[in-house]
């Protein structure tokens, strides 16, 4: 795979995502302080429905990533990619106008009128930015992707700090969700400008422009390739967010704000590790199916080792929330229950889904995702009507993640004859270790016990992968 280049590109993207992490820390801890609980809940409703805006590119950007993944920029025709880009802009403009019109007619006078009108604008800007991002990933231009993350982080941080200073000096009482949503959309407008200039500088990368020569040749192929991937991704998204959806519909805005705040904290961990997913596909695609399959188990193991180590962040987060945001202290209960699921989520989204793409087996991934979604819907419905309790919803979401991972992973392993199942033992032991350790009242003792359990379990179950990973990292440092 070219380990040095791969890990360097992961590090490059992870650096950009780490900057985003800092901005998300500001958003996660400062923004709730600048809003009322109800206003923060409405903002999180926008973010919840905004996660489905990615469906509105109808698979086109996934098709672009799949079509050009691992290719050299010099082998890509300017006329071809410009034709795709221009047609995509037209499709997104029509879609966004339709959403804004529907929001006015169906939700007139309610908070959802603003939320869905804003989503209409957001989906257009987001999906054009995503086109640039996915094309950059495909041609392995990760420096531009990392630069966009830095711009995004800086812009969000400036907004949050400005509002905070304004409140501290008495110019305002904070910010309402409508104003912040508009500023959030503005961040993506800045990213759009950044990417546009990124593809205008220099002859080599000056590939993307708007053209009137749309044509249809190749466009239907891009949709055909990408649509199953997008539907599978959105089914995954719905599976991940279904408990959130239930809480938003059946519980109060205040309860949803606190539950959603826990997910906001979890997203901080996810954003950095997703750098692996961003870099992995074009490398695996370039590597070839047979060679990529040999690395499947190791890639799963690396993600698990990294994520369960990163769960140490639970302890400083717990202290910060108790000190700085006491009105969200209830969220820590949900945060503690949901956190071990991060590793399972990332195994699916960063590793398993990419391998299905590389093996050109997207229909199987989609089918498995549909089965998982139906099971998740049944379990959430049963648990809600049986207990009508948010903690029960959090616990069942962890079970649902385990079921989803098992369905996707076992199906893949059976088809491609991959027999090592040690990751299941490791996940089970680490979930128990985390829940037992964090259940203790003494924070210092809890921290020490979790670290010790992590080291012991990792050495017992993942010794071989730990040795390989440490050797790769040492080689990269030497290089």
């Amino acid at each position: 795979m070219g380990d040095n280049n791969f890990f360097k590109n992961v590090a490059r993207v992870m650096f950009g995502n780490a900057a985003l992490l800092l901005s998300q820390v500001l958003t996660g801890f400062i923004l709730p302080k600048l809003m009322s609980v109800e206003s923060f809940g409405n903002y999180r409703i926008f973010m919840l429905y905004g996660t489905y805006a990615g469906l509105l590119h109808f698979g086109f950007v996934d098709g672009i990533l799949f079509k050009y993944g691992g290719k050299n920029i010099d082998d890509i025709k300017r006329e071809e990619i410009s034709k795709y880009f221009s047609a995509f802009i037209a499709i997104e403009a029509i879609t966004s106008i339709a959403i804004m019109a529907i929001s006015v007619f169906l939700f007139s006078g309610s908070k959802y009128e603003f939320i869905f009108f804003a989503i209409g604008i957001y989906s257009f800007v987001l999906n054009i930015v995503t086109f640039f991002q996915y094309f950059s990933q495909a041609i392995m231009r990760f420096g531009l992707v990392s630069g966009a993350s830095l711009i995004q982080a800086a812009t969000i941080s400036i907004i949050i700090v400005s509002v905070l200073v304004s409140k501290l000096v008495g110019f305002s009482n904070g910010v309402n969700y409508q104003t912040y949503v508009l500023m959030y959309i503005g961040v993506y407008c800045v990213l759009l400008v950044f990417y546009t200039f990124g593809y205008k500088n220099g002859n080599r990368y000056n590939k993307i422009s708007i053209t009137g020569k749309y044509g249809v040749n190749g466009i239907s192929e891009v949709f055909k390739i990408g649509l199953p991937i997008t539907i599978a991704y959105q089914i995954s998204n719905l599976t991940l967010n279904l408990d959130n959806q239930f809480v938003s519909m059946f519980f109060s805005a205040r309860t949803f704000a606190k539950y959603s705040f826990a997910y906001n904290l979890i997203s901080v961990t996810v954003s950095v590790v997703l750098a692996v997913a961003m870099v992995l596909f074009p490398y695996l695609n370039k590597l070839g199916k047979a060679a990529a399959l040999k690395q499947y188990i190791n890639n799963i193991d690396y993600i698990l080792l990294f994520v369960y180590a990163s769960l140490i962040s639970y302890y400083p987060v717990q202290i910060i929330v108790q000190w700085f945001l006491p009105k969200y202290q209830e969220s820590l209960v949900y945060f503690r229950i949901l956190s071990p699921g991060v590793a399972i989520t990332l195994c699916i989204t960063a590793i398993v889904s990419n391998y299905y793409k590389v093996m050109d087996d997207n229909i199987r991934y989609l089918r498995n995702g549909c089965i998982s979604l139906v099971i998740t819907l049944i379990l959430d419905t049963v648990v809600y009507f049986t207990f009508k309790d948010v903690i029960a919803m959090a616990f069942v979401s962890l079970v649902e993640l385990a079921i989803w991972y098992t369905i996707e992973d076992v199906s893949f392993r059976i088809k491609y004859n991959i027999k090592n199942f040690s990751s299941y033992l490791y996940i089970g032991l680490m979930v128990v270790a985390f829940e037992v350790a964090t259940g203790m009242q003494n924070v210092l003792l809890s921290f020490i016990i979790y670290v010790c359990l992590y080291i012991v379990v990792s050495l017992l179950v993942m010794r071989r992968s730990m040795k390989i990973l440490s050797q790769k990292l040492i080689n990269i440092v030497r290089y």
Side-chain angles (χ1 to χ4, degrees), residues 297-298 301-302 304-305 420 422-423 425-426 429 454-472:
I297 293 172
N298 286 341
D301 290 353
Y302 298 158
L304 291 174
L305 285 166
N420 188 324
S422 60
S423 60
L425 175 61
Y426 187 72
L429 290 173
Y454 171 79
I455 293 170
V456 170
V457 172
S458 298
L459 286 173
L460 286 174
V461 183
M462 296 285 194
R463 182 188 296 272
R464 179 176 115 359
S465 294
M466 286 181 73
K467 185 177 180 180
I468 295 171
L469 181 59
S470 61
Q471 190 59 53
K472 286 179 183 290

PDB file of all heavy atoms in Angstrom, residues 297-298 301-302 304-305 420 422-423 425-426 429 454-472:
ATOM      1  N   ILE A 297      -8.196  -7.776   8.444  1.00  0.00           N
ATOM      2  CA  ILE A 297      -8.178  -8.013   9.897  1.00  0.00           C
ATOM      3  C   ILE A 297      -7.322  -6.974  10.608  1.00  0.00           C
ATOM      4  O   ILE A 297      -7.719  -6.420  11.648  1.00  0.00           O
ATOM      5  CB  ILE A 297      -7.661  -9.436  10.196  1.00  0.00           C
ATOM      6  CG1 ILE A 297      -8.657 -10.476   9.687  1.00  0.00           C
ATOM      7  CG2 ILE A 297      -7.434  -9.621  11.695  1.00  0.00           C
ATOM      8  CD1 ILE A 297      -8.158 -11.898   9.764  1.00  0.00           C
ATOM      9  N   ASN A 298      -6.136  -6.695  10.051  1.00  0.00           N
ATOM     10  CA  ASN A 298      -5.256  -5.703  10.674  1.00  0.00           C
ATOM     11  C   ASN A 298      -5.920  -4.329  10.747  1.00  0.00           C
ATOM     12  O   ASN A 298      -5.814  -3.636  11.753  1.00  0.00           O
ATOM     13  CB  ASN A 298      -3.942  -5.591   9.891  1.00  0.00           C
ATOM     14  CG  ASN A 298      -3.032  -6.782  10.121  1.00  0.00           C
ATOM     15  OD1 ASN A 298      -3.190  -7.506  11.102  1.00  0.00           O
ATOM     16  ND2 ASN A 298      -2.094  -7.006   9.224  1.00  0.00           N
ATOM     17  N   ASP A 301      -8.390  -4.246  13.510  1.00  0.00           N
ATOM     18  CA  ASP A 301      -7.697  -4.239  14.800  1.00  0.00           C
ATOM     19  C   ASP A 301      -7.113  -2.857  15.121  1.00  0.00           C
ATOM     20  O   ASP A 301      -7.178  -2.395  16.268  1.00  0.00           O
ATOM     21  CB  ASP A 301      -6.576  -5.282  14.807  1.00  0.00           C
ATOM     22  CG  ASP A 301      -7.111  -6.707  14.830  1.00  0.00           C
ATOM     23  OD1 ASP A 301      -8.331  -6.872  14.980  1.00  0.00           O
ATOM     24  OD2 ASP A 301      -6.303  -7.650  14.680  1.00  0.00           O
ATOM     25  N   TYR A 302      -6.530  -2.195  14.114  1.00  0.00           N
ATOM     26  CA  TYR A 302      -5.925  -0.882  14.345  1.00  0.00           C
ATOM     27  C   TYR A 302      -6.975   0.131  14.811  1.00  0.00           C
ATOM     28  O   TYR A 302      -6.737   0.919  15.738  1.00  0.00           O
ATOM     29  CB  TYR A 302      -5.257  -0.349  13.069  1.00  0.00           C
ATOM     30  CG  TYR A 302      -4.124  -1.195  12.539  1.00  0.00           C
ATOM     31  CD1 TYR A 302      -3.741  -1.118  11.200  1.00  0.00           C
ATOM     32  CD2 TYR A 302      -3.442  -2.091  13.360  1.00  0.00           C
ATOM     33  CE1 TYR A 302      -2.705  -1.895  10.697  1.00  0.00           C
ATOM     34  CE2 TYR A 302      -2.412  -2.870  12.862  1.00  0.00           C
ATOM     35  CZ  TYR A 302      -2.047  -2.774  11.530  1.00  0.00           C
ATOM     36  OH  TYR A 302      -1.022  -3.547  11.038  1.00  0.00           O
ATOM     37  N   LEU A 304      -9.844  -0.512  16.334  1.00  0.00           N
ATOM     38  CA  LEU A 304     -10.296  -0.860  17.690  1.00  0.00           C
ATOM     39  C   LEU A 304      -9.279  -0.430  18.740  1.00  0.00           C
ATOM     40  O   LEU A 304      -9.648   0.140  19.779  1.00  0.00           O
ATOM     41  CB  LEU A 304     -10.548  -2.367  17.776  1.00  0.00           C
ATOM     42  CG  LEU A 304     -11.748  -2.899  16.978  1.00  0.00           C
ATOM     43  CD1 LEU A 304     -11.799  -4.427  17.041  1.00  0.00           C
ATOM     44  CD2 LEU A 304     -13.054  -2.302  17.492  1.00  0.00           C
ATOM     45  N   LEU A 305      -8.002  -0.690  18.488  1.00  0.00           N
ATOM     46  CA  LEU A 305      -6.956  -0.302  19.439  1.00  0.00           C
ATOM     47  C   LEU A 305      -6.938   1.213  19.645  1.00  0.00           C
ATOM     48  O   LEU A 305      -6.846   1.701  20.782  1.00  0.00           O
ATOM     49  CB  LEU A 305      -5.590  -0.776  18.934  1.00  0.00           C
ATOM     50  CG  LEU A 305      -5.302  -2.271  19.058  1.00  0.00           C
ATOM     51  CD1 LEU A 305      -4.091  -2.654  18.214  1.00  0.00           C
ATOM     52  CD2 LEU A 305      -5.092  -2.663  20.519  1.00  0.00           C
ATOM     53  N   ASN A 420     -10.468 -15.104  11.082  1.00  0.00           N
ATOM     54  CA  ASN A 420     -10.065 -14.606  12.400  1.00  0.00           C
ATOM     55  C   ASN A 420     -11.162 -13.713  12.999  1.00  0.00           C
ATOM     56  O   ASN A 420     -11.479 -12.665  12.458  1.00  0.00           O
ATOM     57  CB  ASN A 420      -8.765 -13.805  12.262  1.00  0.00           C
ATOM     58  CG  ASN A 420      -8.179 -13.419  13.608  1.00  0.00           C
ATOM     59  OD1 ASN A 420      -8.893 -13.129  14.552  1.00  0.00           O
ATOM     60  ND2 ASN A 420      -6.857 -13.430  13.693  1.00  0.00           N
ATOM     61  N   SER A 422     -11.164 -12.586  16.333  1.00  0.00           N
ATOM     62  CA  SER A 422     -10.711 -12.095  17.642  1.00  0.00           C
ATOM     63  C   SER A 422     -11.252 -10.696  17.956  1.00  0.00           C
ATOM     64  O   SER A 422     -11.360 -10.313  19.127  1.00  0.00           O
ATOM     65  CB  SER A 422      -9.178 -12.070  17.695  1.00  0.00           C
ATOM     66  OG  SER A 422      -8.648 -11.213  16.700  1.00  0.00           O
ATOM     67  N   SER A 423     -11.617  -9.932  16.929  1.00  0.00           N
ATOM     68  CA  SER A 423     -12.128  -8.577  17.163  1.00  0.00           C
ATOM     69  C   SER A 423     -13.405  -8.599  17.991  1.00  0.00           C
ATOM     70  O   SER A 423     -13.667  -7.680  18.782  1.00  0.00           O
ATOM     71  CB  SER A 423     -12.384  -7.862  15.829  1.00  0.00           C
ATOM     72  OG  SER A 423     -13.326  -8.553  15.046  1.00  0.00           O
ATOM     73  N   LEU A 425     -14.213 -10.759  20.414  1.00  0.00           N
ATOM     74  CA  LEU A 425     -13.816 -10.943  21.815  1.00  0.00           C
ATOM     75  C   LEU A 425     -13.296  -9.625  22.383  1.00  0.00           C
ATOM     76  O   LEU A 425     -13.644  -9.240  23.510  1.00  0.00           O
ATOM     77  CB  LEU A 425     -12.740 -12.025  21.906  1.00  0.00           C
ATOM     78  CG  LEU A 425     -12.122 -12.261  23.292  1.00  0.00           C
ATOM     79  CD1 LEU A 425     -13.196 -12.703  24.286  1.00  0.00           C
ATOM     80  CD2 LEU A 425     -10.991 -13.290  23.207  1.00  0.00           C
ATOM     81  N   TYR A 426     -12.482  -8.941  21.586  1.00  0.00           N
ATOM     82  CA  TYR A 426     -11.892  -7.680  22.046  1.00  0.00           C
ATOM     83  C   TYR A 426     -12.972  -6.629  22.302  1.00  0.00           C
ATOM     84  O   TYR A 426     -12.968  -5.943  23.343  1.00  0.00           O
ATOM     85  CB  TYR A 426     -10.899  -7.165  21.010  1.00  0.00           C
ATOM     86  CG  TYR A 426     -10.123  -5.949  21.466  1.00  0.00           C
ATOM     87  CD1 TYR A 426      -9.137  -6.056  22.442  1.00  0.00           C
ATOM     88  CD2 TYR A 426     -10.378  -4.689  20.925  1.00  0.00           C
ATOM     89  CE1 TYR A 426      -8.420  -4.945  22.872  1.00  0.00           C
ATOM     90  CE2 TYR A 426      -9.669  -3.569  21.343  1.00  0.00           C
ATOM     91  CZ  TYR A 426      -8.692  -3.710  22.308  1.00  0.00           C
ATOM     92  OH  TYR A 426      -7.998  -2.604  22.736  1.00  0.00           O
ATOM     93  N   LEU A 429     -14.980  -7.535  25.535  1.00  0.00           N
ATOM     94  CA  LEU A 429     -14.212  -7.297  26.758  1.00  0.00           C
ATOM     95  C   LEU A 429     -14.030  -5.805  27.039  1.00  0.00           C
ATOM     96  O   LEU A 429     -14.130  -5.359  28.190  1.00  0.00           O
ATOM     97  CB  LEU A 429     -12.842  -7.979  26.655  1.00  0.00           C
ATOM     98  CG  LEU A 429     -12.848  -9.510  26.692  1.00  0.00           C
ATOM     99  CD1 LEU A 429     -11.450 -10.060  26.420  1.00  0.00           C
ATOM    100  CD2 LEU A 429     -13.366 -10.020  28.034  1.00  0.00           C
ATOM    101  N   TYR A 454      -7.390  -1.776  29.664  1.00  0.00           N
ATOM    102  CA  TYR A 454      -7.106  -1.598  28.229  1.00  0.00           C
ATOM    103  C   TYR A 454      -5.780  -2.264  27.864  1.00  0.00           C
ATOM    104  O   TYR A 454      -5.696  -2.996  26.864  1.00  0.00           O
ATOM    105  CB  TYR A 454      -7.057  -0.110  27.881  1.00  0.00           C
ATOM    106  CG  TYR A 454      -6.555   0.155  26.478  1.00  0.00           C
ATOM    107  CD1 TYR A 454      -7.399  -0.010  25.377  1.00  0.00           C
ATOM    108  CD2 TYR A 454      -5.226   0.537  26.244  1.00  0.00           C
ATOM    109  CE1 TYR A 454      -6.930   0.203  24.082  1.00  0.00           C
ATOM    110  CE2 TYR A 454      -4.758   0.755  24.957  1.00  0.00           C
ATOM    111  CZ  TYR A 454      -5.610   0.583  23.878  1.00  0.00           C
ATOM    112  OH  TYR A 454      -5.148   0.795  22.601  1.00  0.00           O
ATOM    113  N   ILE A 455      -4.770  -2.027  28.665  1.00  0.00           N
ATOM    114  CA  ILE A 455      -3.443  -2.593  28.383  1.00  0.00           C
ATOM    115  C   ILE A 455      -3.475  -4.119  28.454  1.00  0.00           C
ATOM    116  O   ILE A 455      -2.973  -4.809  27.555  1.00  0.00           O
ATOM    117  CB  ILE A 455      -2.390  -2.039  29.374  1.00  0.00           C
ATOM    118  CG1 ILE A 455      -2.188  -0.536  29.128  1.00  0.00           C
ATOM    119  CG2 ILE A 455      -1.061  -2.783  29.225  1.00  0.00           C
ATOM    120  CD1 ILE A 455      -1.355   0.151  30.188  1.00  0.00           C
ATOM    121  N   VAL A 456      -4.095  -4.649  29.505  1.00  0.00           N
ATOM    122  CA  VAL A 456      -4.129  -6.101  29.700  1.00  0.00           C
ATOM    123  C   VAL A 456      -4.918  -6.788  28.575  1.00  0.00           C
ATOM    124  O   VAL A 456      -4.451  -7.761  27.965  1.00  0.00           O
ATOM    125  CB  VAL A 456      -4.743  -6.453  31.072  1.00  0.00           C
ATOM    126  CG1 VAL A 456      -5.008  -7.962  31.176  1.00  0.00           C
ATOM    127  CG2 VAL A 456      -3.826  -6.008  32.197  1.00  0.00           C
ATOM    128  N   VAL A 457      -6.124  -6.275  28.290  1.00  0.00           N
ATOM    129  CA  VAL A 457      -6.973  -6.889  27.260  1.00  0.00           C
ATOM    130  C   VAL A 457      -6.309  -6.791  25.883  1.00  0.00           C
ATOM    131  O   VAL A 457      -6.327  -7.738  25.101  1.00  0.00           O
ATOM    132  CB  VAL A 457      -8.372  -6.230  27.240  1.00  0.00           C
ATOM    133  CG1 VAL A 457      -9.189  -6.735  26.048  1.00  0.00           C
ATOM    134  CG2 VAL A 457      -9.112  -6.507  28.541  1.00  0.00           C
ATOM    135  N   SER A 458      -5.699  -5.647  25.603  1.00  0.00           N
ATOM    136  CA  SER A 458      -5.044  -5.457  24.298  1.00  0.00           C
ATOM    137  C   SER A 458      -3.869  -6.408  24.126  1.00  0.00           C
ATOM    138  O   SER A 458      -3.664  -6.980  23.045  1.00  0.00           O
ATOM    139  CB  SER A 458      -4.566  -3.998  24.150  1.00  0.00           C
ATOM    140  OG  SER A 458      -5.650  -3.110  24.185  1.00  0.00           O
ATOM    141  N   LEU A 459      -3.096  -6.600  25.191  1.00  0.00           N
ATOM    142  CA  LEU A 459      -1.952  -7.516  25.115  1.00  0.00           C
ATOM    143  C   LEU A 459      -2.405  -8.963  24.971  1.00  0.00           C
ATOM    144  O   LEU A 459      -1.774  -9.763  24.273  1.00  0.00           O
ATOM    145  CB  LEU A 459      -1.071  -7.366  26.354  1.00  0.00           C
ATOM    146  CG  LEU A 459      -0.211  -6.095  26.418  1.00  0.00           C
ATOM    147  CD1 LEU A 459       0.487  -5.987  27.763  1.00  0.00           C
ATOM    148  CD2 LEU A 459       0.820  -6.081  25.282  1.00  0.00           C
ATOM    149  N   LEU A 460      -3.509  -9.310  25.608  1.00  0.00           N
ATOM    150  CA  LEU A 460      -4.002 -10.683  25.542  1.00  0.00           C
ATOM    151  C   LEU A 460      -4.627 -11.017  24.186  1.00  0.00           C
ATOM    152  O   LEU A 460      -4.420 -12.101  23.646  1.00  0.00           O
ATOM    153  CB  LEU A 460      -5.036 -10.918  26.654  1.00  0.00           C
ATOM    154  CG  LEU A 460      -4.493 -11.044  28.080  1.00  0.00           C
ATOM    155  CD1 LEU A 460      -5.646 -11.130  29.072  1.00  0.00           C
ATOM    156  CD2 LEU A 460      -3.587 -12.273  28.209  1.00  0.00           C
ATOM    157  N   VAL A 461      -5.393 -10.072  23.637  1.00  0.00           N
ATOM    158  CA  VAL A 461      -6.186 -10.365  22.432  1.00  0.00           C
ATOM    159  C   VAL A 461      -5.549  -9.810  21.163  1.00  0.00           C
ATOM    160  O   VAL A 461      -5.654 -10.396  20.092  1.00  0.00           O
ATOM    161  CB  VAL A 461      -7.626  -9.809  22.593  1.00  0.00           C
ATOM    162  CG1 VAL A 461      -8.480 -10.171  21.376  1.00  0.00           C
ATOM    163  CG2 VAL A 461      -8.267 -10.321  23.865  1.00  0.00           C
ATOM    164  N   MET A 462      -4.863  -8.661  21.275  1.00  0.00           N
ATOM    165  CA  MET A 462      -4.379  -7.956  20.084  1.00  0.00           C
ATOM    166  C   MET A 462      -2.849  -7.840  20.032  1.00  0.00           C
ATOM    167  O   MET A 462      -2.329  -6.920  19.404  1.00  0.00           O
ATOM    168  CB  MET A 462      -4.974  -6.534  20.051  1.00  0.00           C
ATOM    169  CG  MET A 462      -6.471  -6.492  19.913  1.00  0.00           C
ATOM    170  SD  MET A 462      -6.969  -6.873  18.227  1.00  0.00           S
ATOM    171  CE  MET A 462      -8.662  -6.338  18.252  1.00  0.00           C
ATOM    172  N   ARG A 463      -2.159  -8.738  20.662  1.00  0.00           N
ATOM    173  CA  ARG A 463      -0.698  -8.625  20.746  1.00  0.00           C
ATOM    174  C   ARG A 463      -0.049  -8.532  19.357  1.00  0.00           C
ATOM    175  O   ARG A 463       0.805  -7.699  19.099  1.00  0.00           O
ATOM    176  CB  ARG A 463      -0.132  -9.824  21.500  1.00  0.00           C
ATOM    177  CG  ARG A 463       1.392  -9.777  21.674  1.00  0.00           C
ATOM    178  CD  ARG A 463       1.907 -11.090  22.253  1.00  0.00           C
ATOM    179  NE  ARG A 463       1.398 -11.308  23.583  1.00  0.00           N
ATOM    180  CZ  ARG A 463       1.977 -10.871  24.704  1.00  0.00           C
ATOM    181  NH1 ARG A 463       3.108 -10.174  24.621  1.00  0.00           N
ATOM    182  NH2 ARG A 463       1.465 -11.114  25.880  1.00  0.00           N
ATOM    183  N   ARG A 464      -0.493  -9.396  18.435  1.00  0.00           N
ATOM    184  CA  ARG A 464       0.110  -9.403  17.109  1.00  0.00           C
ATOM    185  C   ARG A 464      -0.124  -8.084  16.362  1.00  0.00           C
ATOM    186  O   ARG A 464       0.797  -7.519  15.787  1.00  0.00           O
ATOM    187  CB  ARG A 464      -0.490 -10.566  16.305  1.00  0.00           C
ATOM    188  CG  ARG A 464       0.030 -10.702  14.889  1.00  0.00           C
ATOM    189  CD  ARG A 464      -0.519 -11.925  14.185  1.00  0.00           C
ATOM    190  NE  ARG A 464      -1.353 -11.882  13.083  1.00  0.00           N
ATOM    191  CZ  ARG A 464      -1.877 -10.862  12.400  1.00  0.00           C
ATOM    192  NH1 ARG A 464      -1.689  -9.703  12.764  1.00  0.00           N
ATOM    193  NH2 ARG A 464      -2.596 -10.992  11.370  1.00  0.00           N
ATOM    194  N   SER A 465      -1.333  -7.577  16.398  1.00  0.00           N
ATOM    195  CA  SER A 465      -1.648  -6.318  15.706  1.00  0.00           C
ATOM    196  C   SER A 465      -0.942  -5.132  16.355  1.00  0.00           C
ATOM    197  O   SER A 465      -0.500  -4.208  15.657  1.00  0.00           O
ATOM    198  CB  SER A 465      -3.159  -6.080  15.701  1.00  0.00           C
ATOM    199  OG  SER A 465      -3.808  -7.060  14.922  1.00  0.00           O
ATOM    200  N   MET A 466      -0.811  -5.181  17.691  1.00  0.00           N
ATOM    201  CA  MET A 466      -0.092  -4.108  18.392  1.00  0.00           C
ATOM    202  C   MET A 466       1.372  -4.081  17.952  1.00  0.00           C
ATOM    203  O   MET A 466       1.949  -3.006  17.736  1.00  0.00           O
ATOM    204  CB  MET A 466      -0.175  -4.311  19.914  1.00  0.00           C
ATOM    205  CG  MET A 466      -1.523  -3.990  20.504  1.00  0.00           C
ATOM    206  SD  MET A 466      -1.546  -4.232  22.296  1.00  0.00           S
ATOM    207  CE  MET A 466      -0.592  -2.828  22.848  1.00  0.00           C
ATOM    208  N   LYS A 467       1.955  -5.258  17.806  1.00  0.00           N
ATOM    209  CA  LYS A 467       3.366  -5.348  17.404  1.00  0.00           C
ATOM    210  C   LYS A 467       3.561  -4.813  15.983  1.00  0.00           C
ATOM    211  O   LYS A 467       4.490  -4.048  15.709  1.00  0.00           O
ATOM    212  CB  LYS A 467       3.821  -6.807  17.496  1.00  0.00           C
ATOM    213  CG  LYS A 467       5.304  -7.009  17.215  1.00  0.00           C
ATOM    214  CD  LYS A 467       5.683  -8.478  17.405  1.00  0.00           C
ATOM    215  CE  LYS A 467       7.173  -8.677  17.111  1.00  0.00           C
ATOM    216  NZ  LYS A 467       7.584 -10.099  17.297  1.00  0.00           N
ATOM    217  N   ILE A 468       2.660  -5.208  15.057  1.00  0.00           N
ATOM    218  CA  ILE A 468       2.764  -4.758  13.665  1.00  0.00           C
ATOM    219  C   ILE A 468       2.576  -3.248  13.573  1.00  0.00           C
ATOM    220  O   ILE A 468       3.336  -2.545  12.892  1.00  0.00           O
ATOM    221  CB  ILE A 468       1.718  -5.474  12.780  1.00  0.00           C
ATOM    222  CG1 ILE A 468       2.009  -6.975  12.720  1.00  0.00           C
ATOM    223  CG2 ILE A 468       1.706  -4.881  11.369  1.00  0.00           C
ATOM    224  CD1 ILE A 468       0.910  -7.784  12.050  1.00  0.00           C
ATOM    225  N   LEU A 469       1.560  -2.737  14.272  1.00  0.00           N
ATOM    226  CA  LEU A 469       1.260  -1.308  14.225  1.00  0.00           C
ATOM    227  C   LEU A 469       2.400  -0.481  14.798  1.00  0.00           C
ATOM    228  O   LEU A 469       2.799   0.544  14.216  1.00  0.00           O
ATOM    229  CB  LEU A 469      -0.042  -1.017  14.993  1.00  0.00           C
ATOM    230  CG  LEU A 469      -0.506   0.441  15.004  1.00  0.00           C
ATOM    231  CD1 LEU A 469      -0.738   0.952  13.587  1.00  0.00           C
ATOM    232  CD2 LEU A 469      -1.781   0.580  15.836  1.00  0.00           C
ATOM    233  N   SER A 470       2.940  -0.917  15.926  1.00  0.00           N
ATOM    234  CA  SER A 470       4.045  -0.170  16.535  1.00  0.00           C
ATOM    235  C   SER A 470       5.266  -0.158  15.632  1.00  0.00           C
ATOM    236  O   SER A 470       5.969   0.851  15.519  1.00  0.00           O
ATOM    237  CB  SER A 470       4.400  -0.766  17.902  1.00  0.00           C
ATOM    238  OG  SER A 470       4.812  -2.115  17.779  1.00  0.00           O
ATOM    239  N   GLN A 471       5.521  -1.271  14.930  1.00  0.00           N
ATOM    240  CA  GLN A 471       6.657  -1.339  14.017  1.00  0.00           C
ATOM    241  C   GLN A 471       6.477  -0.397  12.830  1.00  0.00           C
ATOM    242  O   GLN A 471       7.415   0.278  12.387  1.00  0.00           O
ATOM    243  CB  GLN A 471       6.849  -2.774  13.513  1.00  0.00           C
ATOM    244  CG  GLN A 471       8.139  -2.997  12.738  1.00  0.00           C
ATOM    245  CD  GLN A 471       9.378  -2.672  13.549  1.00  0.00           C
ATOM    246  OE1 GLN A 471       9.558  -3.181  14.659  1.00  0.00           O
ATOM    247  NE2 GLN A 471      10.240  -1.805  13.021  1.00  0.00           N
ATOM    248  N   LYS A 472       5.242  -0.320  12.302  1.00  0.00           N
ATOM    249  CA  LYS A 472       4.943   0.591  11.193  1.00  0.00           C
ATOM    250  C   LYS A 472       5.179   2.039  11.622  1.00  0.00           C
ATOM    251  O   LYS A 472       5.772   2.836  10.885  1.00  0.00           O
ATOM    252  CB  LYS A 472       3.495   0.417  10.732  1.00  0.00           C
ATOM    253  CG  LYS A 472       3.227  -0.845   9.934  1.00  0.00           C
ATOM    254  CD  LYS A 472       1.761  -0.931   9.551  1.00  0.00           C
ATOM    255  CE  LYS A 472       1.440  -2.223   8.822  1.00  0.00           C
ATOM    256  NZ  LYS A 472       2.019  -2.293   7.469  1.00  0.00           N
TER     257      LYS A 472
END
